[in-house]
Amino acid sequence: MSREISPFVRANKPWLIRKALSSYFRASNAFSNMDRERSDGRPVRFESLKNLSEILFEIKEDMYLIFRRLVDPKKRIFEDASKHTPSQFETEFINNVGLLFHKTMIVRELEYVMEHYTEDDEELITAENDFNIHWLRMKVLFNNGIEIIKRMLEQYKDNLVVISYLLENDRYVEEVLKENLQDLLSRLYGEDNYQHAYIDVGNYCIKSGWNDKAKKILSDALSLDPENDCARQLMKTVNNDNYSATKARVAKEHK
């Protein structure tokens, strides 16, 4: 019988999922840049791979703060801990990150060997071949990881902490996911309802006191639909709050 989920895990899961997605996008982007450099004939540096492995390691460890570890994959037996049991897609994501971390560790050490120890031609050729094999596997894993995240987001469409990240970083998210944000939101919420994401996140930001973020989200909503009454009303709230805050600050400064 599994334990009750701890208050820490329950409270921090939305933020750690957001952090994991943000970090994975950063890792994917870093790998794409390195792969582009390799295609141009430039070497991948050990330090770049070290940084990538550190990002992946942090994601891996963060996931185990909120999810129970799988101790027997064949029988799907998890550790007895006061954490969430990961769903199928969450398990696939955790496995993807773990595999990428270990592959990165391999290629980083191979790169170090090639940079410092391969005076022998045969040893260099062997290291290069091994590097290429693992590098190609990493490309596949990152591509798979992006697809896993797209499916995993279906579970998080009501997680405003996660959805706010997508809306706040729309262009970057589109670049990494290789999908238009409106298309993604339409899949998550339905073609006629995707603008609700902007309204819900805008309202969430206002209630949290993040008026600048709310203004950006609501501006995007109005650019998509200038007649969106909910977005217009919320934008008025933001502007009134900003005016009141400015007025109060000026009054305080002139006391």
Side-chain angles (χ1 to χ4, degrees):
M1 184 176 179
S2 61
R3 301 181 189 178
E4 184 178 350
I5 297 169
S6 75
F8 170 85
V9 170
R10 198 179 298 277
N12 284 280
K13 181 183 177 182
W15 292 100
L16 286 173
I17 293 295
R18 174 185 169 123
K19 180 186 173 188
L21 295 181
S22 170
S23 296
Y24 194 94
F25 291 168
R26 188 156 53 96
S28 176
N29 193 47
F31 179 80
S32 295
N33 290 337
M34 285 188 280
D35 190 51
R36 197 175 301 114
E37 290 174 358
R38 286 194 81 222
S39 298
D40 292 340
R42 287 176 284 172
V44 177
R45 293 300 178 192
F46 174 81
E47 281 302 318
S48 299
L49 292 167
K50 181 174 179 290
N51 291 337
L52 178 60
S53 67
E54 288 172 352
I55 295 171
L56 292 166
F57 178 79
E58 188 170 354
I59 299 172
K60 184 170 70 75
E61 293 305 298
D62 281 348
M63 290 296 92
Y64 287 130
L65 285 176
I66 55 176
F67 292 118
R68 297 162 66 203
R69 291 176 184 265
L70 190 61
V71 295
D72 188 336
K74 291 183 179 179
K75 296 181 180 179
R76 280 192 63 80
I77 296 175
F78 293 88
E79 67 173 337
D80 183 19
S82 302
K83 306 174 188 177
H84 293 280
T85 300
S87 67
Q88 176 189 341
F89 293 141
E90 287 165 341
T91 300
E92 289 179 11
F93 178 70
I94 292 168
N95 290 342
N96 178 271
V97 171
L99 287 169
L100 275 169
F101 167 70
H102 291 290
K103 291 292 182 186
T104 304
M105 291 293 289
I106 292 171
V107 297
R108 123 182 176 178
E109 293 309 313
L110 285 168
E111 181 60 36
Y112 191 85
V113 167
M114 288 188 288
E115 285 184 18
H116 298 282
Y117 295 112
T118 49
E119 294 180 2
D120 180 75
D121 288 344
E122 185 176 347
E123 189 65 34
L124 177 60
I125 291 171
T126 300
E128 287 177 341
N129 288 339
D130 289 345
F131 186 102
N132 290 335
I133 290 169
H134 291 292
W135 190 264
L136 289 173
R137 183 58 187 154
M138 287 174 68
K139 289 179 73 170
V140 172
L141 285 168
F142 268 117
N143 288 335
N144 290 347
I146 294 300
E147 294 306 312
I148 292 168
I149 286 172
K150 288 181 181 181
R151 297 197 300 271
M152 198 165 68
L153 284 172
E154 295 173 9
Q155 298 176 209
Y156 299 140
K157 64 181 181 180
D158 296 324
N159 184 333
L160 296 180
V161 175
V162 170
I163 300 303
S164 65
Y165 171 78
L166 303 181
L167 300 187
E168 290 165 27
N169 302 277
D170 46 354
R171 292 183 181 178
Y172 181 59
V173 168
E174 287 179 339
E175 180 184 345
V176 176
L177 294 183
K178 297 179 176 62
E179 182 176 11
N180 180 276
L181 185 60
Q182 273 66 59
D183 292 340
L184 173 63
L185 295 175
S186 294
R187 282 197 298 102
L188 297 181
Y189 298 96
E191 192 170 342
D192 297 328
N193 297 315
Y194 75 88
Q195 289 192 35
H196 290 325
Y198 291 88
I199 303 304
D200 291 344
V201 169
N203 197 30
Y204 164 69
C205 289
I206 292 171
K207 290 180 178 179
S208 300
W210 305 327
N211 283 358
D212 289 342
K213 290 183 179 181
K215 197 166 187 177
K216 189 268 182 193
I217 301 301
L218 295 170
S219 294
D220 289 345
L222 289 170
S223 69
L224 293 169
D225 179 11
E227 302 304 316
N228 189 316
D229 189 56
C230 288
R232 289 163 66 182
Q233 291 301 319
L234 287 172
M235 185 65 87
K236 285 182 181 179
T237 300
V238 172
N239 291 332
N240 288 338
D241 284 351
N242 286 342
Y243 173 76
S244 299
T246 301
K247 186 176 179 181
R249 187 177 68 252
V250 170
K252 185 177 180 180
E253 289 172 353
H254 287 80
K255 274 187 177 181

